[in-house]
Amino acid sequence: MSKSNLHETAYLKLVFQNVAMANIGDASGIQPSATAGSLYLALYKTDPTDADSGNEANYTSYARVAVVRSAAGFTVSGATVENTATATFPTSTGVSNVLTHFGIKTAAFPGGDLVGSGALTSNLTVENGDTPKFDAGALVVTET
């Protein structure tokens, strides 16, 4: 199903920035949450797919990273969402992983719905002592 560019942007702003989505139901539209809350960046060893069936990172000390649902957390432009600030994951204290993808989830861990995902620009090997870090704009999701 296709959506207009305007609708894609409005939907993404509702989900990622907690901004009202006008003209759904009535002119006031779908209202933002009373408290913005957070979404959580996750790292994957395989493509999470639309079924969220990928293998999430499991290096020692791994944890998802909370990102506030606002313009301070996510940049929305057209059908694209990016991390606004640097995202730093916990330092590995053991088991190594080769990471290929990232996801954006609705829960800290475990579980939560996958609201977006994408491939890393290149595979990232995380070994003992490594701290995965992604600069602003490095994690990009495109609504299709």
Side-chain angles (χ1 to χ4, degrees):
M1 178 174 91
S2 295
K3 301 182 229 20
S4 72
N5 294 339
L6 181 64
H7 187 82
E8 285 176 348
T9 301
Y11 169 77
L12 293 173
K13 285 186 174 190
L14 174 67
V15 172
F16 290 94
Q17 295 181 332
N18 200 37
V19 173
M21 187 174 179
N23 302 317
I24 302 289
D26 63 23
S28 65
I30 300 173
Q31 296 303 297
S33 301
T35 302
S38 296
L39 293 172
Y40 300 85
L41 297 176
L43 298 174
Y44 285 84
K45 299 183 289 180
T46 60
D47 185 350
T49 75
D50 290 348
D52 194 12
S53 60
N55 294 315
E56 192 166 349
N58 64 349
Y59 68 80
T60 311
S61 302
Y62 168 76
R64 295 177 185 167
V65 173
V67 179
V68 67
R69 289 179 58 228
S70 74
F74 296 98
T75 301
V76 175
S77 178
T80 302
V81 177
E82 300 176 350
N83 56 310
T84 301
T86 298
T88 304
F89 285 81
T91 300
S92 175
T93 58
V95 175
S96 297
N97 283 168
V98 176
L99 306 173
T100 62
H101 289 76
F102 72 94
I104 303 170
K105 306 278 286 192
T106 59
F109 199 83
D113 292 333
L114 180 69
V115 296
S117 66
L120 300 178
T121 54
S122 61
N123 290 355
L124 176 63
T125 300
V126 178
E127 297 176 334
N128 189 26
D130 291 343
T131 304
K133 183 170 91 170
F134 301 91
D135 292 333
L139 303 175
V140 180
V141 173
T142 302
E143 177 76 7
T144 56

